[in-house]
Amino acid sequence: MPREEPTAAHPAADPAAGTAAADTTAETAAETANTTAADTAADGRSAPHRANWWRMLGRDRAAAVAAVVLSLVVLVALFGRLVIGDRAQRQDLDASLRPPSLGDGVYGLFGTDVLGRSVLARLVDAAATTLSVAVPAVLCSLLIGSALGLWAGYHGGRRESLALRVADVILSFPSLLIAVVVLYVFSPSALNLVLILAVARIPVYLRTARAEAAELRSRLFVDAARTFGTPSRHIIHRHILPIALPTLLTVATLDFCFVMLTESSLSFLGIGIQPPDVSWGLMVAQGRQYLQTAWWITVLPGLAIVFTTVSATVLAAWVRMATDPAQRWRLTLPTKRRGASAAVPPELIP
């Protein structure tokens, strides 16, 4: 008897199956095309965005120079001690108070102090010490103050009043006076200095974050999130914090200058960083009695403090403008047109 041959499923033999296969193929192709287009669009948006930031920074010469100076200070603080070794503590009484010169090698470029130690090596060592105090103090006060301020500003009521009263109590005492009293009672050390400066600067971030949260809690997008049952912590983290973060970071950059100057002042008074450690403020204090005969011992670390603080201030102003959508367009203009004549965006000028 004849053998039955298997029948192949062909779209022409089964119209319904052919239509379903065609639809499935079309949907798969559409999803693939949409995914590819979305990835391409995302890459296209992120790359020009990064390029625009670098382009805006390059157009602002003052901000570019400030960024370069701060980058050099950070690199020196991170890797400088690996390069200089123990040169910051190495004494040579025969080379005492030598002026800056190129004949004594790289480490004699900025001269020596009264014990014959290289001022350049001590500047590198002091950069790490100064930043190791200023950066943790700013980060601690930023995190604690911002968290308390956002929580108090969003909930309002008694929580807001309690947070503000705590801030008023801390602000009622001058931060430098608190640091002097506490460091006199306890032993002066880098850890105590960080804790004191962090606590003294918490009210700055608490008040700033509280004002931002109190203004944003009545916005429509916050009301919508609250209506759909979103927990308060998620609303603060996802909706309020991203808007308040540029302002808080700007305040932190400016506060970094204040903290660094405070640490230098305390070290100058003899209750900050203690020998054998060295900071820029301690170098100024140790060289003040040789100011007329060996000016480089005091002037050079003082210039390091000035350049770092001024650079941080200039870069903070640039970052604040760059992160503000209403002011970012100013950075795309030439420097000469960023004054009062550029009060409105160019596209709104008739």
Side-chain angles (χ1 to χ4, degrees):
M1 34 187 317
R3 186 177 58 183
E4 294 182 358
E5 296 181 358
T7 57
H10 194 273
D14 191 354
T19 304
D23 293 342
T24 303
T25 305
E27 291 177 359
T28 304
E31 291 177 358
T32 304
N34 291 335
T35 303
T36 304
D39 294 340
T40 304
D43 294 339
R45 283 194 303 268
S46 60
H49 183 69
R50 291 192 296 266
N52 289 335
W53 274 75
W54 287 110
R55 190 179 301 113
M56 288 188 298
L57 182 61
R59 288 183 177 181
D60 195 327
R61 295 180 180 178
V65 172
V68 171
V69 171
L70 288 180
S71 300
L72 290 176
V73 171
V74 172
L75 290 176
V76 167
L78 292 177
F79 306 106
R81 288 178 174 175
L82 300 177
V83 177
I84 64 174
D86 63 341
R87 291 301 297 262
Q89 307 298 334
R90 190 181 302 176
Q91 301 179 10
D92 184 6
L93 297 180
D94 295 333
S96 177
L97 298 180
R98 284 186 179 178
S101 64
L102 297 175
D104 296 331
V106 177
Y107 293 104
L109 186 62
F110 289 166
T112 59
D113 62 0
V114 66
L115 297 178
R117 296 172 295 189
S118 171
V119 174
L120 176 60
R122 290 178 64 79
L123 282 174
V124 173
D125 190 16
T129 304
T130 301
L131 294 187
S132 67
V133 172
V135 173
V138 171
L139 289 179
C140 292
S141 57
L142 172 64
L143 294 177
I144 298 175
S146 300
L148 292 176
L150 292 175
W151 171 78
Y154 175 78
H155 292 286
R158 295 181 178 178
R159 303 175 188 179
E160 183 178 12
S161 301
L162 178 62
L164 290 179
R165 298 295 80 78
V166 173
D168 291 339
V169 171
I170 298 176
L171 288 176
S172 62
F173 299 96
S175 57
L176 186 60
L177 179 60
I178 295 177
V180 170
V181 172
V182 173
L183 290 176
Y184 265 123
V185 174
F186 301 97
S187 60
S189 64
L191 179 60
N192 292 337
L193 198 57
V194 169
L195 294 177
I196 293 169
L197 294 177
V199 172
R201 304 309 295 171
I202 284 178
V204 177
Y205 302 98
L206 192 153
R207 285 177 169 271
T208 304
R210 198 278 315 172
E212 292 284 339
E215 193 272 334
L216 293 172
R217 68 185 177 190
S218 60
R219 296 287 186 91
L220 292 178
F221 62 89
V222 176
D223 291 337
R226 195 183 299 114
T227 302
F228 283 102
T230 306
S232 300
R233 62 181 181 275
H234 293 308
I235 295 177
I236 295 174
H237 177 69
R238 296 178 182 177
H239 301 290
I240 297 180
L241 178 60
I243 300 177
L245 189 59
T247 302
L248 293 173
L249 291 179
T250 305
V251 174
T253 308
L254 296 175
D255 197 47
F256 168 77
C257 304
F258 178 83
V259 171
M260 191 171 66
L261 292 174
T262 303
E263 182 275 327
S264 300
S265 301
L266 293 173
S267 299
F268 182 83
L269 295 175
I271 55 176
I273 301 298
Q274 300 296 313
D277 295 331
V278 60
S279 68
W280 287 339
L282 183 60
M283 290 182 67
V284 174
Q286 292 177 344
R288 67 181 185 273
Q289 57 183 336
Y290 306 101
L291 188 58
Q292 295 182 351
T293 57
W295 55 267
W296 54 90
I297 302 177
T298 301
V299 172
L300 293 179
L303 289 178
I305 296 173
V306 171
F307 286 152
T308 305
T309 53
V310 170
S311 299
T313 304
V314 172
L315 193 61
W318 183 88
V319 171
R320 183 66 185 94
M321 188 176 295
T323 54
D324 188 357
Q327 301 292 330
R328 190 181 302 158
W329 60 271
R330 293 178 180 271
L331 298 177
T332 62
L333 299 176
T335 308
K336 296 180 180 179
R337 296 183 56 191
R338 293 180 190 173
S341 60
V344 295
E347 60 269 14
L348 298 181
I349 299 177

